[in-house]
């Protein structure tokens, strides 16, 4: 753990427009952590003590059903904060958060961050807008799960990954994610074999080129509606 620098704070999306005074307030509350891949940051159902901000790496948030099967709810990257619910309340963590790569995080105690938001109404509105956007994304993904077959679920997932984590250039998006086919399956409620099959189909069609952890999505080659 170490004290965070002001320049590092500006990597966080909601902090980018902060004044130096506001950043200094955040600096006084924040602690920096560096974790290896596979580190569990918090567990689903545990008391919510901290809000986190990603400076480097990736974090997956997942839930476990009664049968012990994981469902990956979200993958978060640099600049994002989590969890997205529970501000001004003491609800527990809604899922388990785990690093997918070497990751550097900031943590702030929820009580301190809530007090900071209460003192800065304009920033509270910005945080609520971020939360609203995340909820809308999750609602869209749930809708896709209920309406789409396996092929279209995989395609929808790849589009989301391209938009949220890719570098888009024209009709292509380059994505570098340490994401396995099993983890993709856990995100969209299909089997790993289904992901393997659709991935192979998309490669043959030229929609995807590259490796699983570093690939290019060619939007112009996609013929599905």
């Amino acid at each position: 753990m170490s004290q965070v620098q002001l320049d590092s704070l500006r990597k966080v999306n909601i902090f980018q427009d902060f004044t130096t005074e506001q950043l200094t307030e955040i600096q006084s509350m924040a602690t920096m952590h560096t974790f290896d891949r596979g580190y569990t940051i918090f567990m689903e159902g545990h008391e919510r003590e901290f809000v986190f901000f990603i400076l480097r790496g990736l974090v997956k948030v997942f839930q476990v059903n009664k049968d012990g099967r994981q469902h990956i709810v979200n993958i978060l990257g640099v600049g994002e904060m989590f969890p997205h619910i529970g501000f001004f309340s003491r609800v527990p963590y809604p899922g388990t958060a785990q690093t997918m790569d070497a990751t550097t995080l900031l943590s702030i105690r929820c009580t301190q961050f809530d007090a900071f938001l209460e003192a800065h109404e304009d920033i509270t509105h910005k945080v609520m807008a971020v939360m609203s956007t995340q909820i809308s994304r999750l609602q869209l993904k749930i809708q896709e799960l209920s309406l789409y077959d396996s092929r279209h679920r995989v395609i929808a997932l790849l589009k989301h990954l391209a938009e949220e984590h890719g570098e888009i250039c024209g009709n292509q998006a380059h994505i570098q994610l340490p994401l396995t086919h099993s983890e993709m399956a856990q995100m969209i409620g299909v089997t790993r074999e289904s992901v393997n099959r659709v991935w192979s189909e998309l490669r043959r069609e030229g929609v995807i080129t590259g490796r699983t952890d570093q690939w290019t999505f060619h939007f112009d080659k996609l013929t599905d509606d």
Side-chain angles (χ1 to χ4, degrees):
M1 296 187 296
S2 60
Q3 184 66 38
V4 62
Q5 302 300 311
L6 291 182
D7 287 346
S8 296
L9 290 176
R10 294 197 185 278
K11 294 181 180 179
V12 178
N13 297 337
I14 67 166
F15 297 160
Q16 289 177 356
D17 298 328
F18 278 23
T19 65
T20 300
E21 182 180 358
Q22 290 168 337
L23 285 175
T24 302
E25 285 188 68
I26 292 294
Q27 182 187 43
S28 69
M29 298 183 282
T31 303
M32 185 182 295
H33 314 260
T34 299
F35 302 119
D36 293 330
R37 175 184 170 92
Y39 182 84
T40 299
I41 302 162
F42 55 73
M43 296 284 290
E44 179 180 0
H46 285 194
E47 180 182 357
R48 194 175 65 88
E49 297 182 273
F50 296 93
V51 59
F52 298 89
F53 308 86
I54 304 175
L55 297 184
R56 178 175 67 99
L58 292 165
V59 173
K60 67 178 178 180
V61 179
F62 62 89
Q63 297 174 332
V64 179
N65 65 18
K66 294 180 180 179
D67 299 325
R69 298 179 63 180
Q70 286 188 15
H71 171 61
I72 298 177
V73 179
N74 216 345
I75 293 178
L76 305 167
V78 174
E80 297 191 81
M81 70 174 185
F82 65 99
H84 296 109
I85 66 171
F87 293 99
F88 306 113
S89 69
R90 298 275 69 84
V91 297
Y93 289 119
T96 297
Q98 191 175 79
T99 58
M100 299 181 67
D101 204 352
T103 300
T104 301
L105 303 175
L106 301 179
S107 68
I108 300 178
R109 286 197 173 275
C110 293
T111 51
Q112 291 179 296
F113 195 61
D114 286 353
F116 176 80
L117 293 179
E118 288 177 348
H120 301 278
E121 185 177 344
D122 57 327
I123 297 174
T124 301
H125 291 161
K126 189 172 184 178
V127 170
M128 295 306 171
V130 170
M131 294 169 60
S132 177
T133 298
Q134 286 294 334
I135 291 170
S136 296
R137 285 180 181 174
L138 291 176
Q139 288 174 334
L140 175 60
K141 292 174 183 177
I142 292 171
Q143 183 181 30
E144 291 167 348
L145 289 181
S146 65
L147 297 177
Y148 290 177
D149 59 19
S150 295
R151 176 180 170 89
H152 287 87
R153 288 188 191 187
V154 173
I155 291 172
L157 172 64
L158 298 182
K159 285 182 177 179
H160 288 308
L161 294 176
E163 292 167 359
E164 296 170 15
H165 301 284
E167 296 180 7
I168 297 178
C169 181
N171 291 321
Q172 299 180 2
H174 180 71
I175 301 97
Q176 186 170 352
L177 282 174
L179 189 65
T180 67
H181 285 182
S182 292
E183 289 171 322
M184 290 184 186
Q186 292 169 11
M187 296 183 73
I188 55 178
V190 301
T191 63
R192 177 177 57 82
E193 290 75 16
S194 293
V195 175
N196 290 344
R197 174 179 55 79
V198 175
W199 185 274
S200 296
E201 291 173 359
L202 295 175
R203 284 181 66 89
R204 287 195 298 270
E205 295 165 13
V207 177
I208 292 174
T209 56
R211 306 189 307 271
T212 306
D213 61 341
Q214 188 173 150
W215 44 278
T216 300
F217 192 100
H218 302 267
F219 295 97
D220 55 329
K221 301 290 183 65
L222 188 63
T223 59
D224 295 70
D225 293 336

